mmCIF file of all heavy atoms in Angstrom:
data_model
loop_
_atom_site.group_PDB
_atom_site.id
_atom_site.type_symbol
_atom_site.label_atom_id
_atom_site.label_comp_id
_atom_site.label_asym_id
_atom_site.label_seq_id
_atom_site.Cartn_x
_atom_site.Cartn_y
_atom_site.Cartn_z
ATOM 1 N N VAL A 232 -22.946 33.994 -49.800
ATOM 2 C CA VAL A 232 -23.906 32.942 -50.149
ATOM 3 C C VAL A 232 -23.221 31.837 -50.951
ATOM 4 O O VAL A 232 -23.438 30.646 -50.708
ATOM 5 C CB VAL A 232 -25.103 33.528 -50.916
ATOM 6 C CG1 VAL A 232 -26.049 32.424 -51.387
ATOM 7 C CG2 VAL A 232 -25.860 34.517 -50.041
ATOM 8 N N ALA A 233 -22.388 32.224 -51.906
ATOM 9 C CA ALA A 233 -21.709 31.229 -52.736
ATOM 10 C C ALA A 233 -20.752 30.366 -51.914
ATOM 11 O O ALA A 233 -20.629 29.159 -52.144
ATOM 12 C CB ALA A 233 -20.960 31.912 -53.871
ATOM 13 N N LEU A 234 -20.062 30.967 -50.944
ATOM 14 C CA LEU A 234 -19.183 30.179 -50.088
ATOM 15 C C LEU A 234 -19.997 29.234 -49.210
ATOM 16 O O LEU A 234 -19.597 28.092 -48.972
ATOM 17 C CB LEU A 234 -18.320 31.105 -49.232
ATOM 18 C CG LEU A 234 -17.235 30.429 -48.376
ATOM 19 C CD1 LEU A 234 -16.261 29.637 -49.249
ATOM 20 C CD2 LEU A 234 -16.475 31.474 -47.555
ATOM 21 N N SER A 235 -21.150 29.690 -48.755
ATOM 22 C CA SER A 235 -22.008 28.836 -47.927
ATOM 23 C C SER A 235 -22.466 27.595 -48.682
ATOM 24 O O SER A 235 -22.717 26.541 -48.084
ATOM 25 C CB SER A 235 -23.230 29.625 -47.430
ATOM 26 O OG SER A 235 -24.236 29.741 -48.435
ATOM 27 N N ALA A 236 -22.571 27.705 -50.004
ATOM 28 C CA ALA A 236 -23.034 26.576 -50.815
ATOM 29 C C ALA A 236 -22.045 25.425 -50.818
ATOM 30 O O ALA A 236 -22.401 24.302 -51.197
ATOM 31 C CB ALA A 236 -23.307 27.039 -52.247
ATOM 32 N N LEU A 237 -20.799 25.683 -50.394
ATOM 33 C CA LEU A 237 -19.785 24.633 -50.353
ATOM 34 C C LEU A 237 -19.775 23.881 -49.022
ATOM 35 O O LEU A 237 -18.981 22.950 -48.842
ATOM 36 C CB LEU A 237 -18.400 25.222 -50.604
ATOM 37 C CG LEU A 237 -18.133 25.724 -52.030
ATOM 38 C CD1 LEU A 237 -16.756 26.374 -52.100
ATOM 39 C CD2 LEU A 237 -18.210 24.584 -53.029
ATOM 40 N N LEU A 238 -20.648 24.274 -48.097
ATOM 41 C CA LEU A 238 -20.740 23.518 -46.847
ATOM 42 C C LEU A 238 -21.293 22.123 -47.127
ATOM 43 O O LEU A 238 -22.059 21.932 -48.081
ATOM 44 C CB LEU A 238 -21.652 24.244 -45.857
ATOM 45 C CG LEU A 238 -21.137 25.570 -45.290
ATOM 46 C CD1 LEU A 238 -22.221 26.247 -44.465
ATOM 47 C CD2 LEU A 238 -19.880 25.350 -44.449
ATOM 48 N N PRO A 239 -20.948 21.141 -46.314
ATOM 49 C CA PRO A 239 -21.422 19.776 -46.565
ATOM 50 C C PRO A 239 -22.913 19.644 -46.281
ATOM 51 O O PRO A 239 -23.466 20.384 -45.459
ATOM 52 C CB PRO A 239 -20.606 18.935 -45.575
ATOM 53 C CG PRO A 239 -20.307 19.885 -44.458
ATOM 54 C CD PRO A 239 -20.090 21.220 -45.113
ATOM 55 N N ALA A 240 -23.555 18.718 -46.964
ATOM 56 C CA ALA A 240 -24.959 18.415 -46.711
ATOM 57 C C ALA A 240 -25.073 17.563 -45.454
ATOM 58 O O ALA A 240 -24.168 16.788 -45.127
ATOM 59 C CB ALA A 240 -25.566 17.679 -47.901
ATOM 60 N N VAL A 241 -26.179 17.688 -44.738
ATOM 61 C CA VAL A 241 -26.341 16.944 -43.492
ATOM 62 C C VAL A 241 -26.415 15.436 -43.743
ATOM 63 O O VAL A 241 -26.146 14.645 -42.834
ATOM 64 C CB VAL A 241 -27.593 17.403 -42.716
ATOM 65 C CG1 VAL A 241 -27.465 18.857 -42.296
ATOM 66 C CG2 VAL A 241 -28.856 17.184 -43.529
ATOM 67 N N VAL A 242 -26.774 15.028 -44.957
ATOM 68 C CA VAL A 242 -26.870 13.595 -45.250
ATOM 69 C C VAL A 242 -25.504 12.979 -45.532
ATOM 70 O O VAL A 242 -25.379 11.754 -45.646
ATOM 71 C CB VAL A 242 -27.815 13.328 -46.443
ATOM 72 C CG1 VAL A 242 -29.228 13.765 -46.115
ATOM 73 C CG2 VAL A 242 -27.307 14.023 -47.705
ATOM 74 N N ASP A 243 -24.474 13.826 -45.647
ATOM 75 C CA ASP A 243 -23.131 13.329 -45.936
ATOM 76 C C ASP A 243 -22.343 13.186 -44.631
ATOM 77 O O ASP A 243 -22.294 14.114 -43.826
ATOM 78 C CB ASP A 243 -22.390 14.285 -46.873
ATOM 79 C CG ASP A 243 -23.093 14.447 -48.213
ATOM 80 O OD1 ASP A 243 -23.794 13.500 -48.622
ATOM 81 O OD2 ASP A 243 -22.945 15.515 -48.836
#
Side-chain angles (χ1 to χ4, degrees):
V232 175
L234 186 59
S235 79
L237 290 176
L238 292 173
V241 297
V242 297
D243 299 332

